[in-house]
Amino acid sequence: MVFVAKIKSVDFFRKIPSDLTEASLSGAGLSIMAAFSMMFLFGMELQNYLTMSTTTSVIVDQSSDSEFLLIGFNMSFPALSCEFASLDVSDVLGTNRLNVSKTIRKYSINKHLQTKGPEFDSTPVSTVIKHDDKVHQEYSEGSVTLNSNNFDKISHQHAILVVNFFAPWCYWSSRLTPSWEKAADIIRERHNPETDGRIILGKVDCTKETQLCRSHHIQGYPSVRIFRKGSDTRDPKRHHNHESYYGDRDTDSLVKAMENLIEPIELESKKHAKVTVEAKRPAPQAAGCRIEGFVRVKKVPGNIIISARSESHSFDASQMNMSHVISSFTFGKKVTPKMMSDLKRLRPYIENHDKLAGNSYINTGDKANVTIEHYLQVVKTEMMSSSHQLIEDYEYTAHSSLVHALTIPVAKFHFEPSPMQILITEIPKSFPHFITNLCAIIGGIFTVAGILDSLLHNTMRLVKKIELGKDF
């Protein structure tokens, strides 16, 4: 019993017998207010505990010199044919890659940006094309002159129609013309169009037949197209599905190529010729091109240039239109939806992750020789989550302009990685700190409410004593 009495003597929370306590209306009101205050402050403290705080700092980009930067893109060019569309990469260190094709895909599109046909074969063709060494100034015209009036008629009279779309001012057209006419004359002698009918060679002057050349998506000169009556199909706008010839342009090569075209066709079945020869490289089915894919570049200032390129064709700069619509243009690895959710949680306002997405850069038809340039300032952002997961992202600012082109117009993306990077660290709240604040809230409100109740109770007692003294 003595031991129990000693233990009770250290009781900090001694109880007052209930028969000695007295409930009051003011005390009840203060208790209710204190309870609501505790609940409100508890909710605020819980919200603060669950909310992550972040710190932002700017540090030097510590990426190694050998690290490459991935650039992904999806762009549509309504007036640039996939046949000549080329994507080139260069940088200040001297890197110069022309007509990148391994990591990109091309699709022919119409003016409404709708895909026409399967993926376009973007494998680079031979850059060395053989021509006749001796140019014969005098030659007979063995090919048929085609125009808008007779093109459809002649194309359906023969199993195969091979057409040279040319421009008189073009250097490569001038070199091809003598060989073309001589080859056409030889083919005409071997396979008379009146009695044989399996093949005929024609030509179209694109400076005179502008609309006809545009309907067949001719953008470079000369362009040799192969039309097969047995396999050609037409869409509602009467456009042909046809093939392109990219072989040598000397007389012997042209004659050999024409002979190979008609070899599988039997003479007696010329009216219903069904070509079974191995399919050649198809020509673009629409005038535009969508380019999508990625390239790896060094983390130094550089350029991505999209242009019409060919080592054996000429282009009319005044007719080139590099208008484009950008669906996406990003730096770094592809960001998954989950990563984007984490990014927005750590950095609520992400506006520069894909700054160019959805933007259109259209050059109206009355402006010729216009190059569209984009200047991109790229900065790396690293974010460390509370679970110690590192999230990398690249943001950039973009400034675009339309400038007059001195040569062939291009679409140019000049990118410049920043030597600095942004580091965002997520700092979780301490649970012991949360418990300490919670106890402080409960004890503080309870103590303050007790003080207020004591002051109110003593004041009321004093007032009553004064009133009794007066009445007395």
Side-chain angles (χ1 to χ4, degrees), residues 231-285:
S231 60
D232 271 4
T233 57
R234 294 168 177 268
D235 62 16
K237 294 187 177 180
R238 301 175 63 81
H239 290 168
H240 288 268
N241 289 330
H242 45 266
E243 303 162 9
S244 293
Y245 173 78
Y246 295 105
D248 292 330
R249 297 174 181 172
D250 61 293
T251 303
D252 293 339
S253 298
L254 289 171
V255 172
K256 183 178 179 180
M258 302 306 127
E259 293 287 359
N260 291 336
L261 287 174
I262 64 174
E263 183 178 357
I265 305 176
E266 297 180 2
L267 181 61
E268 58 270 18
S269 60
K270 62 182 181 180
K271 292 184 179 180
H272 304 282
K274 186 69 176 181
V275 180
T276 59
V277 69
E278 182 181 356
K280 305 297 181 181
R281 183 169 179 172
Q285 298 185 23

Side-chain angles (χ1 to χ4, degrees), residues 91-190:
D91 61 40
V92 295
L93 297 181
T95 301
N96 193 19
R97 289 182 287 161
L98 303 178
N99 198 13
V100 178
S101 60
K102 290 185 178 181
T103 58
I104 68 171
R105 298 181 299 274
K106 300 178 184 177
Y107 297 90
S108 295
I109 59 173
N110 57 21
K111 63 180 180 179
H112 302 296
L113 309 184
Q114 298 171 336
T115 303
K116 304 291 289 184
E119 178 182 351
F120 186 81
D121 183 7
S122 58
T123 304
V125 297
S126 175
T127 57
V128 180
I129 293 187
K130 183 180 177 182
H131 291 78
D132 283 330
D133 295 331
K134 297 181 180 179
V135 178
H136 304 282
Q137 297 296 332
E138 295 182 1
Y139 52 85
S140 59
E141 295 189 0
S143 62
V144 178
T145 301
L146 303 174
N147 53 44
S148 300
N149 298 324
N150 64 3
F151 189 94
D152 287 343
K153 178 181 178 181
I154 294 177
S155 66
H156 283 79
Q157 288 179 346
H158 306 275
I160 295 178
L161 169 64
V162 187
V163 183
N164 172 24
F165 293 89
F166 71 97
W169 53 264
C170 169
Y171 167 77
W172 297 107
S173 294
S174 300
R175 291 201 62 180
L176 172 63
T177 298
S179 304
W180 182 262
E181 297 298 342
K182 188 175 180 180
D185 196 41
I186 294 173
I187 293 297
R188 180 181 288 272
E189 290 179 0
R190 295 181 183 179

